[in-house]
Amino acid sequence: MNANLKKLLSFYKPYKGIFFADLLCSLIAAAIGLILPLGAGYITDNILSGDLSAAPERILKTGGLLLVLVLVQAWCSYFMDYQGHAMGARMERDMRAQLFRHCEKLSFSYYDEHPVGDLMSRITNDSLSLAEFFHHVPEDVLVNAIKFVGASVILWNIHWQMTLVILCFLPFMLAYTLYFNKKMAAALAQGREDMGEVNAQAEDSLSAIRMVQSFGNEGVEAQKFDRQNEKFLDSRKKSYRGEALCWGGMNAFSSLLPIAVVVFGGLAMVNGGFSLSNLVVFLLYVSYFTQPIQSLVNTSRLIQEGRTGFRRFMEILETKPEITDAPGARELPRVKGEIRFSHVGFRYGEGDAVFRDLNLTIQAGEYVALVGASGAGKTTLCSLIPRFYDVESGEISLDGIPVKSVTLHSLRENVGVVQQDVELFTGSVAENIAYGKPGASLEEIRAAAQKAGAEEFIEKLPQGYDTDIGPRGVKLSGGQQQRLSIARAFLKDPPILILDEATSALDSQSEQVVQRSLEDLARHRTTLVIAHRLSTIRGAGRILVLDDTGICEEGTHESLLAQGGVYAQLYEASF
């Protein structure tokens, strides 16, 4: 069995009870639909053509039986519509959850290449079409097959010549439908891709709305969005044109069949080989031939959308995270904090090497600053420690334990990162601080906020720790956001701390407050500080100067100034 098909069918497994019940109801509803026209034929042939004195009672009994069948059919339709759709929605939920969890495992390098807006489209829009696919396709195929085959058998037994006349129309109708449906399906598939690009463009622009407005570039962003939006509109127009041609032709064929039944049936009645009741039954059943083909268009659209959505789903699911736990990886205990780089080489993708043969030892509890021009590899060096990226060659170890030999979770539990761009979430102050230690008590959260120098401003907020800070913390100032980030790190309490230009975006007053908090946070931990403002790292125990060759200088602030090298030039340029 094809691996993708096997994966697709696996989503039915938890709901196989509902699935088979849905198919059973489909079977019953379709069978009753075939029986009902026979009731009309029975009344015409067997009741109205005999003794009319007993006809009213027999008609009422037959009508009562048909009413019961209609009620059963209605209940089956209710079950199919409600439980069937609910089953599809549950499967959609399962797929969306699985895809989201997989996205969380993907490495930083994947997100360097793929826009988040496109991933959002796959998680939301694609899964919606799959819900319809899961529910409708098996049900529609079964119902329409039963209707078509059942109607053909019934009418063939009544008058095979007339049935043959009807069947002669169907190949033309089917060929016409499939031709234009193929064009419509191709346009729908392209539309799905274009929708992902629209989402990506919207996410890119709206996530940077403050910068857009500050530069007055709303018009520029609107033009970029309009270009993607127009591409999507073109795809939709093509699909609507195909749909219009397809449905228009089908409606014409659907109208021709009853006319053909009346014309050829009338001629057969004149010749004495066809009765009025037969004509009534044929007219009642004729839709059972056109309906499956009409349904085929909708079903094939669902199949096409489902295939496209599932292909896009599997594209992500089959993307293996570049960084995973090695076989037999063990839990890393709380380390003292020694970091060792041994002959480390690294590059981003196919780019030039950032490090070729980097050797570096940082002692436990040491405070080390990293400086250098932009692109020298400061952030890269720090990102290799928690394995946000993996080294190309060489080895990194903590307390002598290679980072690749331990689980990612336990490794990252030992490393805390405070970045320049603070990542906060919609929710309360307390919830954002607790992100450093899920399940932390309010007392622990308060203690962390106090250590970070955040308690004073938190207490002044309208609801204190319960205050909602808005999307990405927009209701707080930059300094307040950074102090929440520091409080989060205090709560995590890692033995290794990375401060990635944590104060470079703050004003001088906020910087002084945050700097004091960072100094408290760094105490008794191995700390790596990336800084552009060299005045903030004069007290560092060791300063590493990086350039495109690796570490070109190291020492204290005073010794590096005395050398008159790269650091001295950077320091002079900062004033």
Side-chain angles (χ1 to χ4, degrees):
M1 182 185 292
N2 179 277
N4 281 2
L5 179 59
K6 189 175 181 180
K7 180 68 177 177
L8 181 69
L9 294 177
S10 71
F11 287 100
Y12 284 99
K13 190 173 181 180
Y15 311 106
K16 56 186 177 184
I18 296 177
F19 176 68
F20 286 116
D22 182 69
L23 291 184
L24 178 62
C25 286
S26 303
L27 182 65
I28 294 171
I32 291 174
L34 288 169
I35 293 171
L36 292 177
L38 291 176
Y42 174 78
I43 291 173
T44 306
D45 270 352
N46 294 50
I47 299 177
L48 296 179
S49 61
D51 183 9
L52 295 181
S53 61
E57 182 180 353
R58 294 175 65 191
I59 290 173
L60 289 174
K61 285 182 179 179
T62 304
L65 178 60
L66 295 176
L67 177 61
V68 171
L69 291 176
V70 167
L71 293 175
V72 172
Q73 187 184 47
W75 186 88
C76 288
S77 297
Y78 165 79
F79 184 91
M80 291 156 54
D81 199 42
Y82 174 57
Q83 291 294 347
H85 276 109
M87 178 194 71
R90 291 187 186 102
M91 295 167 77
E92 171 199 343
R93 173 203 61 192
D94 295 345
M95 291 187 70
R96 189 185 296 122
Q98 185 174 351
L99 188 58
F100 180 79
R101 281 168 173 74
H102 185 74
C103 285
E104 287 188 304
K105 297 176 185 176
L106 293 174
S107 308
F108 281 21
S109 56
Y110 182 85
Y111 290 97
D112 292 342
E113 302 292 334
H114 295 82
V116 173
D118 182 58
L119 297 179
M120 290 294 296
S121 178
R122 298 185 189 219
I123 291 172
T124 54
N125 295 341
D126 289 357
S127 56
L128 282 173
S129 62
L130 284 166
E132 292 296 298
F133 172 86
F134 282 130
H135 166 222
H136 282 293
V137 170
E139 181 184 289
D140 288 353
V141 169
L142 178 64
V143 167
N144 289 303
I146 291 171
K147 284 184 175 180
F148 183 80
V149 174
S152 298
V153 171
I154 291 170
L155 294 186
W156 190 272
N157 287 327
I158 294 174
H159 198 279
W160 68 267
Q161 296 94 331
M162 180 64 69
T163 307
L164 201 59
V165 170
I166 294 174
L167 292 175
C168 285
F169 278 84
L170 299 185
F172 299 101
M173 184 177 181
L174 184 62
Y176 179 92
T177 301
L178 291 176
Y179 175 76
F180 285 104
N181 186 62
K182 186 177 180 180
K183 290 183 174 294
M184 181 175 64
L188 284 171
Q190 184 60 47
R192 185 61 51 83
E193 300 292 335
D194 292 341
M195 188 70 241
E197 293 181 11
V198 169
N199 284 346
Q201 181 61 57
E203 192 269 340
D204 193 44
S205 297
L206 296 180
S207 62
I209 190 64
R210 286 165 181 77
M211 184 182 70
V212 171
Q213 293 184 358
S214 66
F215 278 89
N217 280 343
E218 294 91 340
V220 173
E221 293 302 314
Q223 288 176 5
K224 287 157 65 176
F225 182 83
D226 287 345
R227 282 196 293 271
Q228 296 296 345
N229 210 16
E230 283 298 320
K231 280 183 64 180
F232 177 62
L233 174 62
D234 290 341
S235 300
R236 297 296 288 174
K237 285 164 66 177
K238 287 178 182 176
S239 69
Y240 288 141
R241 183 174 181 273
E243 184 178 345
L245 288 168
C246 187
W247 284 105
M250 281 197 307
N251 288 334
F253 279 111
S254 298
S255 300
L256 282 174
L257 275 179
I259 295 172
V261 169
V262 170
V263 171
F264 289 100
L267 292 174
M269 286 176 67
V270 171
N271 296 326
F274 204 65
S275 66
L276 180 60
S277 63
N278 288 343
L279 183 62
V280 171
V281 170
F282 264 81
L283 286 172
L284 290 173
Y285 272 113
V286 74
S287 65
Y288 283 61
F289 289 93
T290 58
Q291 205 175 55
I293 295 178
Q294 289 174 335
S295 181
L296 175 65
V297 175
N298 186 55
T299 302
S300 61
R301 177 182 61 81
L302 291 176
I303 290 173
Q304 179 61 42
E305 289 186 348
R307 284 180 59 190
T308 302
F310 195 72
R311 174 182 57 78
R312 285 159 58 84
F313 168 82
M314 290 302 295
E315 278 177 4
I316 299 178
L317 212 61
E318 290 174 348
T319 301
K320 302 298 182 186
E322 292 181 10
I323 300 172
T324 57
D325 291 342
R330 57 195 175 100
E331 292 292 311
L332 178 67
R334 184 177 177 87
V335 298
K336 293 179 181 178
E338 182 196 71
I339 306 170
R340 188 183 299 273
F341 288 72
S342 302
H343 304 288
V344 167
F346 176 78
R347 74 182 69 236
Y348 288 103
E350 301 298 321
D352 295 333
V354 181
F355 302 120
R356 290 183 176 83
D357 187 29
L358 178 66
N359 292 283
L360 171 67
T361 299
I362 299 171
Q363 300 299 328
E366 191 176 4
Y367 190 102
V368 177
L370 305 176
V371 301
S374 295
K378 305 182 295 295
T379 299
T380 299
L381 186 148
C382 293
S383 297
L384 294 175
I385 298 170
R387 291 187 68 198
F388 294 150
Y389 299 92
D390 259 345
V391 299
E392 190 177 74
S393 60
E395 182 181 87
I396 299 174
S397 61
L398 303 183
D399 288 3
I401 304 171
V403 295
K404 287 188 177 182
S405 69
V406 299
T407 62
L408 284 171
H409 183 264
S410 64
L411 169 64
R412 292 170 183 174
E413 281 288 297
N414 278 275
V415 182
V417 181
V418 179
Q419 298 174 314
Q420 172 188 345
D421 297 322
V422 180
E423 295 290 347
L424 297 177
F425 300 94
T426 302
S428 69
V429 169
E431 288 170 341
N432 273 275
I433 295 176
Y435 203 77
K437 182 183 176 182
S441 66
L442 184 57
E443 289 72 22
E444 291 176 302
I445 293 170
R446 285 179 178 275
Q450 189 174 23
K451 291 175 183 176
E455 189 173 49
E456 183 180 352
F457 87 79
I458 293 173
E459 295 292 349
K460 293 178 181 178
L461 295 174
Q463 284 84 41
Y465 284 85
D466 294 325
T467 302
D468 184 85
I469 63 173
R472 304 176 68 86
V474 295
K475 296 180 182 179
L476 302 178
S477 69
Q480 290 171 337
Q481 291 177 13
Q482 194 60 277
R483 276 177 275 174
L484 287 193
S485 177
I486 295 168
R488 185 187 288 168
F490 266 114
L491 190 58
K492 183 176 182 179
D493 190 27
I496 298 172
L497 180 65
I498 296 171
L499 305 177
D500 190 352
E501 304 182 36
T503 62
S504 63
L506 303 179
D507 59 76
S508 354
Q509 185 177 0
S510 297
E511 182 186 8
Q512 290 176 8
V513 176
V514 170
Q515 190 63 40
R516 285 195 297 270
S517 301
L518 291 174
E519 289 169 1
D520 291 339
L521 177 61
R523 196 169 288 119
H524 309 304
R525 307 175 199 275
T526 303
T527 305
L528 284 79
V529 181
I530 300 171
H532 280 307
R533 295 183 184 179
L534 303 189
S535 58
T536 63
I537 56 160
R538 281 184 284 190
R542 183 161 47 135
I543 299 172
L544 305 178
V545 184
L546 279 70
D547 63 10
D548 55 7
T549 65
I551 299 173
C552 62
E553 294 177 2
E554 66 175 289
T556 63
H557 172 71
E558 290 77 13
S559 66
L560 290 172
L561 281 181
Q563 290 179 27
V566 176
Y567 180 81
Q569 294 173 13
L570 289 172
Y571 187 77
E572 290 173 8
S574 65
F575 290 98

